[in-house]
């Protein structure tokens, strides 16, 4: 396997880890209502678990309120049940056609917990990035043993892999810090 292929594969894995982190953090509540809070909650829909975003429109009529309007009004009860069963701690109010979720102001304690959760997500992403680095280094060493590259080329490849790792770890740190600031800002 060529150095470029090893680096490309490592970068793809690191980018996937960063993208997963972005996805995870979208669901963390900040001071404002966001459709991302509920769009991935699973709803029992004709015997299958389906994301709310697939069966309902999610709007933000006010900064602290979400409105969920099912495409099919008969799904209202199952959506309401899924929201009430979720770990969000929000209760849905139904008007017969849509659900409204009022987001209460977050306490400082809750903000601290969410900021900590954000940091945990960041650590998990960093672990994935380091695993990609380890795999890339192993692939480069195996290529060198097979005669595909010299000792100097292996050293250069490992330096490039380390630089790539540092770049993605910095990116993760930046994402986590930004989200923590959003959460902690009142």
């Amino acid at each position: 396997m060529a150095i470029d292929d090893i680096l490309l594969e490592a970068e793809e894995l690191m980018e996937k880890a960063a993208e997963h982190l972005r996805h995870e953090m979208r669901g963390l509540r900040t001071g404002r209502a966001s459709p991302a809070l509920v769009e991935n909650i699973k709803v029992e829909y004709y015997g299958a678990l389906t994301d709310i975003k697939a069966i309902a429109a999610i709007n933000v009529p006010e900064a602290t309120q979400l409105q969920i309007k099912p495409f099919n009004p008969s799904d209202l009860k199952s959506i309401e049940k899924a929201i009430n069963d979720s770990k969000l701690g929000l209760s849905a109010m139904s008007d017969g056609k849509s659900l409204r979720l009022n987001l209460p102001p977050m306490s400082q304690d809750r903000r601290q917990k969410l900021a900590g959760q954000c940091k945990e997500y960041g650590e998990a992403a960093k672990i994935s990035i380091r695993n990609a680095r380890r795999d890339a280094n192993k692939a480069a060493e195996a290529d060198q043993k097979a005669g595909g590259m010299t000792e100097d080329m292996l050293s250069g490849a490992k330096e490039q892999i380390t630089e790539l790792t540092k770049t993605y770890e910095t990116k993760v740190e930046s994402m986590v810090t930004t989200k923590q600031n959003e959460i902690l800002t009142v």
Side-chain angles (χ1 to χ4, degrees):
M1 188 181 265
I3 294 172
D4 291 341
D5 293 338
I6 293 169
L7 286 170
L8 186 63
E9 188 176 316
E11 187 171 11
E12 285 175 4
L13 290 171
M14 291 177 187
E15 185 58 40
K16 282 182 184 176
E19 191 56 43
H20 181 72
L21 175 63
R22 246 183 243 107
H23 178 74
E24 289 285 319
M25 289 196 311
R26 282 185 63 210
L28 290 178
R29 183 173 165 210
T30 58
R32 295 183 46 83
S34 167
L37 287 174
V38 296
E39 66 185 13
N40 293 317
I41 292 177
K42 302 290 185 198
V43 177
E44 181 72 30
Y45 183 70
Y46 294 106
L49 291 178
T50 308
D51 290 343
I52 286 180
K53 67 181 175 184
I55 61 173
I58 305 168
N59 299 310
V60 183
E62 296 175 23
T64 60
Q65 190 177 74
L66 288 172
Q67 180 184 27
I68 301 169
K69 188 170 184 169
F71 301 132
N72 181 349
S74 64
D75 297 329
L76 192 66
K77 290 286 184 209
S78 56
I79 292 173
E80 185 175 9
K81 181 182 183 324
I83 289 171
N84 289 335
D85 292 348
S86 73
K87 297 176 187 171
L88 289 177
L90 300 173
S91 57
M93 294 180 295
S94 174
D95 64 7
K97 295 179 182 174
S98 66
L99 296 173
R100 289 196 183 272
L101 300 173
N102 289 317
L103 291 111
M106 289 195 298
S107 66
Q108 192 61 30
D109 184 44
R110 178 75 176 138
R111 288 178 189 275
Q112 293 291 340
K113 284 182 184 174
L114 286 174
Q117 193 174 1
C118 189
K119 189 171 184 169
E120 288 173 21
Y121 289 158
E123 287 303 317
K126 284 183 184 178
I127 289 169
S128 295
I129 289 167
R130 290 178 193 133
N131 287 342
R133 176 189 63 196
R134 180 198 63 217
D135 294 345
N137 281 335
K138 281 184 181 178
E141 289 167 0
D143 195 33
Q144 192 260 336
K145 283 182 183 172
M149 66 173 84
T150 65
E151 195 69 40
D152 289 341
M153 291 169 72
L154 175 65
S155 176
K158 284 187 173 186
E159 284 178 24
Q160 288 178 306
I161 292 166
T162 300
E163 285 301 312
L164 190 62
T165 303
K166 285 179 183 175
T167 301
Y168 275 92
E169 284 185 338
T170 303
K171 191 176 188 178
V172 164
E173 279 295 323
S174 173
M175 290 166 56
V176 168
T177 302
T178 301
K179 189 65 172 187
Q180 284 180 324
N181 289 339
E182 285 177 24
I183 291 169
L184 294 172
T185 304
V186 180

